[in-house]
Amino acid sequence: MEAHQDLLANIKRRQMWDFVFALMGLLALLFALVTLLALIVDLAITGVPRINAEFFVNFPSRFAEKAGILSAWVGSFCIMITTAFCAIPLGVAAGVYLEEYSKKNWISQLIELNIINLAGIPSITYGLMALGLFVYKLKLGQSILTAGLTLGLLVLPIIIVTTREAIRAIPNTIREASYAMGASKWQTVRYHILPYSSGGILTGVIISLSRAIGETAPLITIGALTFIAFLPTPPVDGQFPYLNFKWLMDPFTVMPIQMFNWLSRPQPEFHVNAAATGVVLLLMTLIMNGGAIYLRSRFRKKMKW
Amino acid sequence: MRRLRERAIETVLFLAAASSVLVTIGIVGILVVESIPFFEHVTFKEFLTDTQWTPLFENAHYGILPLLSGTLLSTVIALSVAIPLGTVAAAFLSEYVRPSWREFLKPMLELLAAVPTVVYGYFALLFVTPLLQKIIPSLSGFNVLSAGIVIGVMIVPYVSSLSEDAMRSVPNHLREASFAVGASRMQTAFRVVIPAAFSGITSAYVLGISRALGETMVVAIAAGMQPNLTINPTEPAATITAFIVQVSLGDLPHGSIGYQSIYVAGLSLLVLTLCFNIVGLWLRKKFQEKE
């Protein structure tokens, strides 16, 4: 009888601890999510009233009320395009090679180990590398091109990893069917593997660009200016061939650097500008990430092999 | 002809894959090459033992210790937030929550990692610090404490996502065996699932540590950029990363001692990150042998 009582007490105690732990788990999750919410709300309360049309078409200024983010968002936009052009072909090609072509040997193992480790390398060291290599050795200057290349290399692992995941999800029957029709390896990749994995690759591209748009430290390190009151050279002009790439070599600033600059001033009016820039940045990254999550779940549902 | 084209394409794709190795070589190579001239001015002993770091002052001192203490202090604070929160959240998501809720909660948690770090800096400086000052009135306007806490929350998804993946890949028959001998869910989580997923959880921690060590903008904004040999988190301090930002914001002639000093700082950061990664690798190896 006593043993029975002991057992019941023991079960009660363990059930209680089980419940306590579940509660802790819930609290941990809530704490993280509430912090995120507090961050968004705090930023929005200060920043949203400051956002108006002029904020987007004005250059930075000594007067907080007149200052805007024109040069910053144009800079962010140009750098995003450069980053995408640099990272997407390289990353997708690397992912395709590692999934479809590479044999199990020490080179492919080295490459794989290296990609895992790149995720842990602090982003600021990419900036130091770019300052030494792109700015001084290759004489590209503190330009949009340098910034785009730097961020391109920084997000390369993200694109490689998501490309590989997307390709790995394609069953082997597809490849075999393609080979059975007499297709070569490249034809299989080109007409089957790449189209079927494009959804997953797109998710990776969106996530990597949202990461690039928020990166600040490597761009400060390569010497981005914090006060820019002009725009890059327009890419279209009246003379033949009507297109030029001079803008690639222009100096730049980006939204996170502009925000940092305003944030490091003592006057609270500039902090309001920083908050407004933060709202724009946050909105863009959240929309991009939300889109990526939506795409991922949609493709996962749609793909039934 | 067709075979030639196939070969050419394979070579191009291989070069793309190999370029990722070039990135690593480039980073390590440039950091080392640009750091070497620094040690022609400064002895190794001075670098490691001097307690002041003032490379841009008239009376220059080149001791890495104050930057190291700032970096480690903010990392320790960040990890004491992120590891308990991240691990408990991961165990909860993996062992308690039904899959449909998990599909919703995990991406929400991952949004924390998507917020730009400069926004976290704003949050640390203008929200967390004033909040903490109500509890600790002596807290300085710039301090390591709030920067560390905010970094901690920021890296929760790095810790929890990978840990949760590791926990969920533990085969179900281990859980069933544990339940069959009468263990509760919590006992199963702590004595069966977490030990079995130890290797993956260690990787998650190591990634979290790497992120915390290399985090730049939050400390540059909220911790005050003053090299300060202290373990008091309520004071301002500078991390290695914050110093690099501070110097880069000024005009920096190529080849000057200031220019060299940011490479030395970057190299120290890389070595520090590498050390933690090796410890993680060693822990994983050691544990795997026991199985």
Side-chain angles (χ1 to χ4, degrees), chain A residues 242-268:
Chain A
Y242 307 115
L243 263 178
N244 69 63
F245 290 96
K246 282 190 198 127
W247 56 275
L248 277 175
M249 302 314 282
D250 286 335
F252 65 95
T253 189
V254 290
M255 285 194 285
I257 293 182
Q258 187 63 67
M259 179 175 174
F260 173 59
N261 176 261
W262 280 331
L263 201 49
S264 42
R265 295 187 194 197
Q267 306 91 323

Side-chain angles (χ1 to χ4, degrees), chain A residues 188-239:
Chain A
T188 308
V189 169
R190 168 77 185 75
Y191 295 105
H192 298 280
I193 304 296
L194 280 181
Y196 304 155
S197 58
S198 56
I201 295 175
L202 188 64
T203 319
V205 167
I206 296 174
I207 287 178
S208 61
L209 288 183
S210 98
R211 171 98 195 272
I213 202 177
E215 255 328 316
T216 324
L219 297 185
I220 291 180
T221 311
I222 62 173
L225 299 174
T226 48
F227 189 92
I228 292 241
F230 54 86
L231 289 180
T233 328
V236 185
D237 53 27
Q239 284 164 336

Side-chain angles (χ1 to χ4, degrees), chain A residues 21, chain B residues 90-97 102 164 167-168 170 175 179 185 188-189 193:
Chain A
F21 183 72
Chain B
F92 181 67
L93 281 176
S94 158
E95 304 300 313
Y96 284 79
V97 176
R102 183 166 56 215
E164 200 256 349
M167 289 180 199
R168 212 144 38 104
V170 170
R175 288 192 190 90
F179 291 142
R185 275 191 297 190
T188 308
V193 176

Side-chain angles (χ1 to χ4, degrees), chain A residues 14-15 17-29 31-33 35-36 38-40 42-43 46-47 89-98 101-103 107 110-111 114-115 117-133 136-137 153 156 160 182-187 189 210-211 213-217 220-224 226 255-257 259-260 263 271-272 274-275 278-279 281-282 285-286 289-290 293 296 300, chain B residues 2 5-7 9-28 30-31 33-34 81 84-89 91-93 96-97 103 105 107-123 125-127 149-150 153 156 158 181-187 189-190 207 210-211 213-217 220-221 225 240-242 244-246 248-249 252-254 259 262-263 265-267 269-270 273 277:
Chain A
R14 287 192 296 149
Q15 277 174 340
W17 276 111
D18 207 36
F19 178 73
V20 168
F21 183 72
L23 211 63
M24 273 167 60
L26 196 64
L27 284 179
L29 265 181
F31 180 78
L33 295 180
T35 309
L36 180 64
L39 181 150
I40 295 172
D42 177 52
L43 202 66
T46 322
L90 209 57
V92 174
V96 168
Y97 179 82
L98 289 173
Y101 286 85
S102 79
K103 297 156 196 85
I107 299 180
L110 177 75
I111 294 174
N114 180 61
I115 289 167
N117 283 330
L118 278 179
I121 292 186
S123 63
I124 197 160
T125 52
Y126 282 85
L128 288 173
M129 188 265 282
L131 180 67
L133 188 67
Y136 289 119
K137 294 239 157 56
L153 296 182
L156 191 61
I160 297 179
S184 70
K185 190 150 203 166
W186 171 244
Q187 285 168 328
V189 169
S210 98
R211 171 98 195 272
I213 202 177
E215 255 328 316
T216 324
I220 291 180
T221 311
I222 62 173
T226 48
M255 285 194 285
I257 293 182
M259 179 175 174
F260 173 59
L263 201 49
H271 291 175
V272 175
V279 170
L281 259 180
L282 197 61
T285 45
L286 291 187
N289 276 275
I293 292 169
R296 194 165 51 193
R300 211 177 271 166
Chain B
R2 183 161 145 179
R5 214 183 94 183
E6 290 287 315
R7 285 296 298 175
I9 285 166
E10 184 172 346
T11 313
V12 169
L13 293 179
F14 170 75
L15 288 178
S19 69
S20 70
V21 180
L22 286 184
V23 175
T24 313
I25 296 174
I27 289 175
V28 176
I30 295 277
L31 287 184
V33 166
E34 301 279 1
V81 173
L85 275 183
T87 315
V88 170
F92 181 67
L93 281 176
Y96 284 79
V97 176
E103 290 299 304
L105 285 171
M108 288 294 283
L109 205 56
E110 279 165 6
L111 280 184
L112 275 173
V115 175
T117 54
V118 62
V119 173
Y120 275 114
Y122 175 95
F123 185 64
L125 180 68
L126 297 177
F127 186 87
I149 293 173
V150 169
V153 175
V156 161
Y158 290 99
V181 294
S184 68
R185 275 191 297 190
M186 181 181 133
Q187 287 171 316
F190 274 97
L207 184 64
S210 305
R211 277 291 130 118
L213 286 172
E215 175 43 43
T216 310
M217 296 320 290
I221 291 168
M225 305 213 262
I240 296 175
T241 51
I244 298 173
V245 163
Q246 188 186 17
S248 306
L249 283 172
L252 197 61
H254 181 178
Y259 177 83
I262 61 173
Y263 280 92
L267 190 62
L269 179 65
L270 203 61
T273 315
N277 275 280

